[in-house]
Amino acid sequence: MESMTPISCPTTPRWNQDRPFLTGRFHQETRASSKFADSKRFTLDSSSSGVEQAIGCYDTPVQELIVIDDLLSALVGIEGRYISIKRFHGKEDSIAFLVDPSMDLALQELAKRVFPLCEYYLLIDQFVESSSQFKNGLVNHAFAAALRALLLDYQAMVAQLEHQFRLGRLSIQGLWFYCQPMMGSMRALAAVVQQASTKHFVGSGVLNLLQSQAKAMAGDNSVRSLLEKMTECASNAYLSILERWVYEGIIDDPYGEFFIAENRSLKKESLSQDSTAKYWSQRYSLKDTIPGFLANIAATILTTGKYLNVMRECGHNVQVPISERSKLTIFGSNHHYLECIKAAHEFASIELVNLIKDKYDLIGRLRSIKHYLLLDQGDFLVHFMDIAREELNKKVHEISVEKLQSLLDLALRTTAAAADPRHEELTCCVDRASLLTTLGMHKDPDSNSIEDPMSITGLETFSLSYKVQWPLSIVISKKALSKYQLIFRFLFHCKHVERQLCGAWQIHQGIRSMNSKGTAIPRSSLLCRSMLKFISSLLHYLTFEVLEPNWHVMHDRLQSTRSVDEVIQHHDYFLDKCLRGCLLLLPDVLKKMEKLKSVCLQYAAATQWLISSSIDINSQSHPQKTMIRDTTVTESIFNFEREFNSELQSLGPVLSKGSQAEPYLTHLSQWILGVSKE
């Protein structure tokens, strides 16, 4: 994933290290490193001053009192006189409590039963201290706070036991009995904190761990309730981040715990430049760690905040009304938080769609693009092709885009397009490659011929572009515009071929009054008419069989959309269907069409010479010269006719083969080849 917003956490104050007695671990650490601890060994030699006697020297009742006193200290993580704490450092740090081996065996066994609770307390207490550091995030802070409150209850229990001990009312069996209720809860919490510490869980990881542990304790109602309570406490901070996102569209996530990542390097302006339209799909994205209770609705949460963000970047400080907000909570059979999120999503979706449709007139903008890039209103194009003919006939590297732009502006101002206030959004652009090359279809697998860029003219590479501002650029992105441009280039070139053939037809019509009997003119006239029928049928198919029906389907669907993602989906579907219907995704068919158009253009360019030669032949009186020239003209027309008919006939099997996967090719076949529907 691309660079996300860096997370900077405040550092832990230095006094936390400089003054260890202010932390919770000083009891063990200072005791372990003290001279007393180093010199204290369980020994039977009581004559040495300053050295504790081994507990075995005392009677059993006295040993019991000493053991109880040590156990009360061990329960809060402090070593006693005859109970010590040993730490094992390795792959996973662990703790063990040891007793003086001279202790009465029965007392040893009873003491060892209490040791797990002491270990659980130490694990939890150390987790509370370490998780309270800033870098561990809000969820760990909240979880540690809940554990701290639990440990206060635990310490209160130990204080009450100590009070009973001071009154002489507590035996070691009684101590074991009173510790029982806390054992299961502390064991479960210790397992959670140990796993969270080992795997360095933060945010969603901690919540998922707590939830899975609560489910695993389904058989123990009290422990399960405690773990659910801990999950609720730990998730409060997480849900506050979630609330700001779904209600205001703001990520307030100081420690990077939220499951939605923001890529600030992607700006909204990139939609009009980036052909992959990354902004909408990657500006905000889902991380891998998603809380289990939000997994099924994560996509909805993501889009809710995205919609609110779009409106805010439009200058509309829109957020879910206070009256419609509700505190998000996890637990409860009614899953109230799901309803809150869905309500917020519904509000954001409808607000943004209405904003784009009403204020920014999405439908009107799409209709304007249809007028110009899909040649719905072609009067400006006819005028433009007339006045820009000379410039468009130049090689690509010789064309002046600025001159074409000025000619386009002139054509727009002097035709019906002048009434459209959006005509000023149109701009000219000239590609450096032919349509087949742009689509990656130019390379012929049966030959080594590669397109010569110096031979391409502006007529093959000219295109229109359209300036689209935010937020409409979400729907009409650079990626979508490039699809419009591909369709425009194909239509524009077809129009050019049609105009050239119309010019050739007019030449034929201009000599109808002359006696053309015995010349090749009648055959040339039939060929010209066949070519015109082909290109007119192709244009009719593209316009009335592909573009218009698909446009109306999209238009009707957009009327009932309730989210911008639906709008984008319908618009992309329309463009993809048009690309396929216009043959731009079918290499075999498109190559045949381009070849047929090429033959038509070559014939149209030679028409003037063919007709004038035929007329000259008819008026000359030298039989030998007349025969030679007549043979040349007739052969040229035959060659054009043969090549055109051959390409047209070879188109039939290609369309027939493709129509099995693409049924609309049957309509194209009917229009162009006159094939009757079986």
Side-chain angles (χ1 to χ4, degrees), residues 507-527:
I507 293 174
H508 283 90
Q509 295 302 101
I511 60 168
R512 285 185 65 183
S513 59
M514 297 179 60
N515 181 18
S516 57
K517 191 174 181 182
T519 67
I521 293 176
R523 195 172 195 98
S524 178
S525 179
L526 285 172
L527 177 59

Side-chain angles (χ1 to χ4, degrees), residues 17 64 84 158 254 313 361 399 404 425 435 463 546 557 607:
Q17 286 80 34
E64 181 178 0
S84 61
V158 175
E313 292 208 30
D361 191 18
I399 293 175
L404 282 179
E425 307 295 335
L435 185 62
S463 183
V546 178
R557 286 176 175 171
T607 301

Side-chain angles (χ1 to χ4, degrees), residues 313-354:
E313 292 208 30
C314 291
H316 297 266
N317 191 17
V318 177
Q319 54 188 28
V320 178
I322 301 294
S323 59
E324 295 184 24
R325 296 191 191 187
S326 181
K327 186 74 176 173
L328 298 179
T329 54
I330 298 178
F331 297 100
S333 58
N334 58 355
H335 295 291
H336 183 58
Y337 71 98
L338 293 176
E339 297 172 10
C340 297
I341 292 169
K342 287 176 181 176
H345 179 262
E346 185 80 4
F347 170 83
S349 298
I350 294 174
E351 282 290 317
L352 181 56
V353 167
N354 290 340

Side-chain angles (χ1 to χ4, degrees), residues 150-166:
L150 178 76
L151 291 183
L152 285 175
D153 291 340
Y154 172 87
Q155 290 164 354
M157 178 200 76
V158 175
Q160 290 172 347
L161 290 173
E162 186 176 8
H163 178 65
Q164 293 298 314
F165 176 62
R166 300 302 175 213

Side-chain angles (χ1 to χ4, degrees), residues 513-579:
S513 59
M514 297 179 60
N515 181 18
S516 57
K517 191 174 181 182
T519 67
I521 293 176
R523 195 172 195 98
S524 178
S525 179
L526 285 172
L527 177 59
C528 186
R529 190 163 63 180
S530 297
M531 289 181 171
L532 260 176
K533 179 180 180 295
F534 157 73
I535 198 67
S536 299
S537 298
L538 177 59
L539 280 167
H540 190 282
Y541 161 78
L542 295 173
T543 305
F544 296 103
E545 294 285 336
V546 178
L547 299 178
E548 283 297 330
N550 286 317
W551 163 265
H552 287 294
V553 170
M554 179 190 70
H555 182 270
D556 293 342
R557 286 176 175 171
L558 291 183
Q559 301 302 320
S560 58
T561 51
R562 298 178 66 83
S563 74
V564 169
D565 282 301
E566 283 184 30
V567 172
I568 296 171
Q569 181 183 348
H570 293 323
H571 186 237
D572 287 345
Y573 180 76
F574 159 74
L575 286 172
D576 291 340
K577 201 157 186 191
C578 288
L579 282 172

Side-chain angles (χ1 to χ4, degrees), residues 185 236 354 424:
S185 300
N236 281 336
N354 290 340
E424 296 179 356

